[in-house]
Amino acid sequence: MFFTDRINTLEALFRVRTAIFGKKLQVFEGRDGVMGLLQESLDVQTNERDYQTALDIISPLVKVAEDHPFVSDDSVEYISISSRMERALYKHYFEAQSSRLVKNVHSCCPMEFIWRQAGLLELNLENFLDAEKAMSNATKWNPVSAKYRLMLARIHSDQGRWENVVEDAVAAMKVAYRANDLILCFRFLRNYFLYKKMYLEAVYCSFARLNYTDSGCVLDEIVDDILGYATMVDVELDQSNDESVTESLKRFGITLGFNPDVVAVAKKNCEEAFLAGDAELANYFAEIMSGLKTVQEKKEAFNLKQLVEHYKNIKS
């Protein structure tokens, strides 16, 4: 009885806070107006490359996002997560470990989107401290976004904060469910190892990207790395299996492949949606599973020596 009363009280408090905040958003014509301003800012950023104007467009949103009533405490945790896969990951990683009520404010105000856009623009303007603050806020609202972690990695790498870069990349790997995100993780790690003059690990991180892409541009970059750095270390060009890579990177807390927890979450939610008769949701998670499986199945034995010779001939 006490637990039910507590939940009812927290739910009522959330409705009150949502109503209060909703009134503040009326100046933008509600949530739809907020999304409209974000899109306008994105259009200016993309089409005109006018980052300051794009930032000015959303500056009123940033002020509102800084002064919100959704303050988490020991009883309730407020999040802003739009992706259904990321919502499932949050439930797996955080809700199962906590007795707090979790309320998603995204339908009231897209907090994560506001801070993400502000962070991107501040980074383009090279305002690194403000960019880090904005992306850290985006990560607080959505701690299971690999893309936000990778944006922090980019901010930290631009400042030469390489230990933070490693932390960001490994955190992104934990929740990544897109191949492009894993490729970026290994690119940041490769850059870290190059900075540390750890060329063996840099080559392995570069080579690890083969598991997630067959893009010619990426293959070209990988071969350039190997041709440029393999001569500095004791590495056999035909050792292209995962085991040799895994053992080298394991010391740094870096693993290959999608996190098994991520795969399990996608599978579990797909099965539950199917059993519930929710075909649209089941298909959503099935597509994510398919993407994970397809990338994993592309892990074929690459003859690295032939690949290098092929690109040598092209470049000569």
Side-chain angles (χ1 to χ4, degrees), residues 41-139:
S41 173
L42 183 60
D43 290 342
V44 171
Q45 171 192 342
T46 304
N47 300 328
E48 302 177 25
R49 303 292 181 181
D50 187 344
Y51 304 125
Q52 185 58 59
T53 297
L55 184 61
D56 292 342
I57 290 171
I58 64 167
S59 60
L61 299 181
V62 173
K63 290 179 181 178
V64 169
E66 289 177 327
D67 184 24
H68 62 83
F70 305 112
V71 180
S72 300
D73 55 32
D74 292 338
S75 299
V76 60
E77 177 74 15
Y78 294 106
I79 60 175
S80 176
I81 301 177
S82 62
S83 163
R84 288 176 290 186
M85 179 59 184
E86 288 168 14
R87 184 66 185 87
L89 288 171
Y90 182 89
K91 182 177 181 180
H92 173 78
Y93 282 118
F94 294 96
E95 288 188 52
Q97 316 299 328
S98 174
S99 61
R100 292 189 295 179
L101 178 69
V102 176
K103 301 302 295 183
N104 192 353
V105 307
H106 191 82
S107 60
C108 171
C109 183
M111 294 292 197
E112 59 168 332
F113 290 171
I114 294 172
W115 288 115
R116 177 190 65 187
Q117 180 65 0
L120 285 170
L121 293 169
E122 296 286 11
L123 177 59
N124 282 316
L125 291 167
E126 298 186 356
N127 298 328
F128 296 120
L129 292 179
D130 289 335
E132 182 177 10
K133 174 185 175 183
M135 289 311 303
S136 294
N137 280 331
T139 301

Side-chain angles (χ1 to χ4, degrees), residues 174-201:
K174 181 179 178 181
V175 294
Y177 57 95
R178 297 183 182 93
N180 287 341
D181 290 337
L182 280 175
I183 291 171
L184 283 175
C185 287
F186 280 109
R187 179 172 289 139
F188 280 120
L189 290 167
R190 159 214 183 245
N191 292 344
Y192 165 77
F193 288 126
L194 287 179
Y195 169 77
K196 301 288 284 187
K197 297 183 179 180
M198 301 171 67
Y199 298 115
L200 177 62
E201 288 73 17

Side-chain angles (χ1 to χ4, degrees), residues 192-262:
Y192 165 77
F193 288 126
L194 287 179
Y195 169 77
K196 301 288 284 187
K197 297 183 179 180
M198 301 171 67
Y199 298 115
L200 177 62
E201 288 73 17
V203 169
Y204 279 172
C205 280
S206 188
F207 181 67
R209 290 177 289 170
L210 281 175
N211 292 326
Y212 315 111
T213 184
D214 55 6
S215 163
C217 292
V218 176
L219 291 179
D220 199 5
E221 185 178 295
I222 292 169
V223 173
D224 282 343
D225 283 347
I226 293 170
L227 294 176
Y229 302 110
T231 57
M232 300 180 183
V233 295
D234 182 18
V235 57
E236 293 291 336
L237 290 180
D238 59 356
Q239 287 184 347
S240 56
N241 58 77
D242 282 350
E243 184 177 355
S244 61
V245 180
T246 302
E247 290 305 313
S248 178
L249 300 180
K250 191 180 295 182
R251 295 181 293 124
F252 302 93
I254 302 166
T255 58
L256 298 176
F258 287 103
N259 186 340
D261 283 351
V262 172

Side-chain angles (χ1 to χ4, degrees), residues 257-304:
F258 287 103
N259 186 340
D261 283 351
V262 172
V263 179
V265 166
K267 181 180 179 181
K268 176 176 180 289
N269 280 268
C270 181
E271 292 174 348
E272 289 178 351
F274 177 79
L275 292 174
D278 190 336
E280 190 276 330
L281 186 60
N283 184 64
Y284 168 81
F285 283 107
E287 288 183 357
I288 289 176
M289 288 176 59
S290 177
L292 294 168
K293 183 178 181 181
T294 300
V295 171
Q296 297 292 62
E297 286 179 345
K298 286 184 177 179
K299 290 184 176 181
E300 299 174 350
F302 236 93
N303 189 321
L304 188 55

Side-chain angles (χ1 to χ4, degrees), residues 146-159:
K147 292 191 181 300
Y148 298 167
R149 297 285 183 180
L150 289 168
M151 281 304 306
L152 281 171
R154 180 181 167 189
I155 293 166
H156 291 147
S157 67
D158 284 352
Q159 298 177 86

